[in-house]
Amino acid sequence: MTTEMTRPTTDTVRYTVIDSTLGPILLTSDGEHLTGLYLDDFDTVLERLEAKVGVAPVLDDDLTLFATADKQLGEYFSGTRTDFDLPLAPTGTEFQRTVWQALTTIPYGTTAGYGELAAWIDRPTAARAVGAANGRNPISIIVPCHRVIGANGALTGYAWGEEKKRTLLDLEASHCVRFSGTWRCFFNFSWQY
């Protein structure tokens, strides 16, 4: 599933903090779309958002979008969801948004290199620029920047640390197997005898 992205509809930033198996998650929204998912350093993120839009973010634990995101993230962490169905509006340049859109096409349980991603967006010599855009992705997990690895297979840069990246990749891999050269993912699977 390819997630469609738009631009934020307002400068007002709403936020909430939810619990997850990775620890607390900060979600941000313009009231209609998810604009951010952050795994650490919440005070700094909120200060940066305030400086950017000129208005202090507003705590909004009752926004329906946040409840929907919380539910879908819970399903993801329990291994029953492979993609997300949420309205997204990340703030970034046109190039960054193109990279972030491409990230949503990396299948669950698989990885891609920066060079591969650059080729997918018809910018085959832009692997470093793709890496920089990947590092600025404001909607972690849902826009799966954790699925991008170095050309040699190394777990290169992840804003929230290599341990969290490995945890997310291991979670996804635990539901997938390679069969005849193709990755197959199984959910709520039980053997029938």
Side-chain angles (χ1 to χ4, degrees):
M1 173 179 184
T2 301
T3 304
E4 292 301 317
M5 296 182 194
T6 187
R7 295 197 179 276
T9 58
T10 178
D11 285 340
T12 301
V13 176
R14 299 170 189 276
Y15 75 94
T16 194
V17 177
I18 62 171
D19 291 321
S20 79
T21 57
L22 276 183
I25 292 177
L26 171 69
L27 299 175
T28 62
S29 172
D30 62 4
E32 297 177 36
H33 310 90
L34 197 65
T35 58
L37 185 156
Y38 305 92
L39 302 176
D40 202 354
D41 209 13
F42 301 162
D43 290 337
T44 302
V45 169
L46 293 171
E47 288 170 9
R48 193 174 66 234
L49 290 170
E50 180 176 357
K52 188 174 189 175
V53 300
V55 179
V58 177
L59 179 63
D60 188 348
D61 292 330
D62 298 322
L63 189 64
T64 302
L65 175 61
F66 289 152
T68 303
D70 187 13
K71 179 180 184 291
Q72 290 188 21
L73 285 161
E75 293 166 350
Y76 169 82
F77 286 119
S78 71
T80 60
R81 177 174 287 275
T82 61
D83 53 28
F84 296 88
D85 184 21
L86 297 164
L88 305 179
T91 299
T93 66
E94 200 59 42
F95 178 78
Q96 288 170 333
R97 293 167 51 78
T98 298
V99 170
W100 300 335
Q101 187 71 57
L103 289 172
T104 67
T105 67
I106 302 172
Y108 179 97
T110 65
T111 57
Y114 296 104
E116 286 177 87
L117 207 52
W120 292 350
I121 63 170
D122 296 323
R123 301 281 301 272
T125 61
R128 287 185 187 196
V130 164
N134 190 57
R136 293 197 172 273
N137 170 26
I139 309 177
S140 297
I141 302 174
I142 293 170
V143 177
C145 53
H146 62 278
R147 294 181 190 154
V148 182
I149 58 173
N152 63 357
L155 298 185
T156 58
Y158 187 58
W160 313 115
E162 185 178 317
E163 183 181 331
K164 286 184 180 172
K165 182 172 186 164
R166 181 174 304 284
T167 298
L168 292 168
L169 292 174
D170 287 349
L171 167 80
E172 293 182 10
S174 70
H175 299 285
C176 301
V177 295
R178 192 168 185 108
F179 180 75
S180 298
T182 303
W183 284 100
R184 306 277 185 205
C185 300
F186 302 92
F187 306 93
N188 297 327
F189 181 80
S190 63
W191 292 101
Q192 300 296 317
Y193 296 100

